[in-house]
Amino acid sequence: MALSLKETFYISHGSPLLAIDDSIEIRKVLKSWKNIFPQTPSAILIISAHWDTRVPSVNIVERNDTIHDFYGFPKPLYQIKYPAPGAPQLARKVRDLLQKSGFSAVEEDRRRGLDHGAWVPLMLMYPEASIPVCQLSVQSHMDGTHHYNMGKALSSLKDEGVLIIGSGSAVHNLRELIRDGSSDVFPWAQEFDDWLKTTLLQRRYDDINHWDKKAPQPKKAHPSPEHFYPLHVAIGAAGGNPTAKVVHSNIEMGCLSYSSYQFNEVPGSCSS
């Protein structure tokens, strides 16, 4: 019988260079992942910012291809493979749980593998690529509450040993990146990152769901919200009102936040 889990996670994966660049601080954290999370999950459900669809979608495959969905990076990045097994049974369960919770349209993709928002952190966390992985999409035209409710619908998966990970970036504005090697951080990026940390640690999840009205300069921090919404899924999947813990926090290139969080189900709060 699978070990029941209480934790979900939001990982800021930042740049694809995370796969090969040891100067990126969170890389060391992810490589020592089993110190943070020693359990071996039965499967992984990962919600990546880089799969953005009209309605929630799951990939139903036997073996995950490695999608190199980025341009202009060093050649070694394009040579990396992360051939994790698919999790078709989990994918169908995700579909069924979402539909039972009122998400009437859930699509199945029988060809898609793992994009870099999924395989880059996973190759550091679980380099053996032996744990079955299912990917779930975001809907950037929807809001935070939509994604929080997606997570709540899936919270019972933890009881089956499924590790649920949201993968995005806590602050993500590519147009403003500082590319000259400076360690400077834009004040607006730090302000948003600090607001996020304080709001999560105080468990003000209604403010997180309405971040576009509550957070400082939300459109500056996230011109498009797809990198933020995996956070909402992770919170909802932890039971809706979990405790929050900082896994890692830093900002690089002026406004690319690697802040990452663990959410722990509060007994009696949960599962849908």
Side-chain angles (χ1 to χ4, degrees):
M1 184 174 178
L3 179 69
S4 178
L5 303 182
K6 300 299 180 185
E7 307 92 336
T8 66
F9 294 88
Y10 173 70
I11 303 297
S12 288
H13 64 257
S15 165
L17 289 172
L18 175 62
I20 60 173
D21 186 350
D22 278 328
S23 72
I24 298 175
E25 290 182 20
I26 197 174
R27 181 175 161 87
K28 295 175 184 176
V29 176
L30 297 178
K31 289 183 76 173
S32 62
W33 182 253
K34 291 174 186 178
N35 294 330
I36 298 170
F37 185 76
Q39 300 96 321
T40 299
S42 61
I44 297 170
L45 174 63
I46 189 160
I47 303 91
S48 168
H50 294 280
W51 192 16
D52 189 356
T53 58
R54 182 183 60 86
V55 298
S57 302
V58 291
N59 71 329
I60 300 182
V61 296
E62 293 298 326
R63 179 72 56 178
N64 282 293
D65 290 331
T66 306
I67 304 173
H68 299 89
D69 53 335
F70 43 77
Y71 305 94
F73 285 89
K75 185 177 179 181
L77 265 179
Y78 299 93
Q79 298 171 335
I80 295 174
K81 301 292 184 184
Y82 189 77
Q89 184 176 357
L90 172 60
R92 294 185 185 98
K93 189 162 288 188
V94 169
R95 176 200 62 197
D96 292 346
L97 287 170
L98 289 173
Q99 289 175 338
K100 288 177 183 176
S101 296
F103 295 87
S104 55
V106 181
E107 294 186 349
E108 302 173 2
D109 191 316
R110 297 182 178 275
R111 293 183 294 177
R112 183 184 176 88
L114 302 177
D115 59 53
H116 81 271
W119 65 260
V120 168
L122 289 179
M123 65 168 279
L124 301 172
M125 297 158 73
Y126 298 102
E128 64 280 358
S130 61
I131 299 173
V133 181
C134 170
Q135 189 167 336
L136 172 64
S137 67
V138 297
Q139 292 76 63
S140 63
H141 62 287
M142 301 298 286
D143 61 9
T145 301
H146 166 88
H147 291 85
Y148 175 85
N149 288 335
M150 282 174 58
K152 285 191 73 176
L154 303 173
S155 61
S156 63
L157 293 173
K158 303 192 311 300
D159 297 335
E160 301 173 25
V162 176
L163 175 59
I164 300 174
I165 302 171
S167 177
S169 286
V171 179
H172 188 267
N173 186 335
L174 298 185
R175 290 175 290 188
E176 299 285 345
L177 291 181
I178 299 174
R179 302 178 185 273
D180 63 2
S182 169
S183 61
D184 292 345
V185 174
F186 290 115
W188 55 264
Q190 189 67 64
E191 185 181 13
F192 185 95
D193 208 51
D194 289 344
W195 172 86
L196 178 61
K197 177 182 176 181
T198 299
T199 306
L200 290 174
L201 294 182
Q202 293 179 354
R203 299 168 67 188
R204 290 167 22 217
Y205 294 121
D206 190 62
D207 286 357
I208 297 293
N209 284 348
H210 298 93
W211 67 283
D212 52 332
K213 300 178 179 65
K214 299 288 189 177
Q217 300 200 58
K219 282 292 186 182
K220 195 78 169 174
H222 290 279
S224 179
E226 73 282 347
H227 276 77
F228 204 48
Y229 286 156
L231 169 71
H232 295 82
V233 183
I235 294 168
N241 188 33
T243 59
K245 177 182 177 181
V246 178
V247 172
H248 177 75
S249 183
N250 84 299
I251 299 175
E252 299 187 7
M253 302 179 76
C255 58
L256 189 60
S257 173
Y258 285 90
S259 294
S260 301
Y261 296 90
Q262 173 180 328
F263 301 101
N264 279 66
E265 176 185 328
V266 175
S269 73
C270 188
S271 298
S272 308

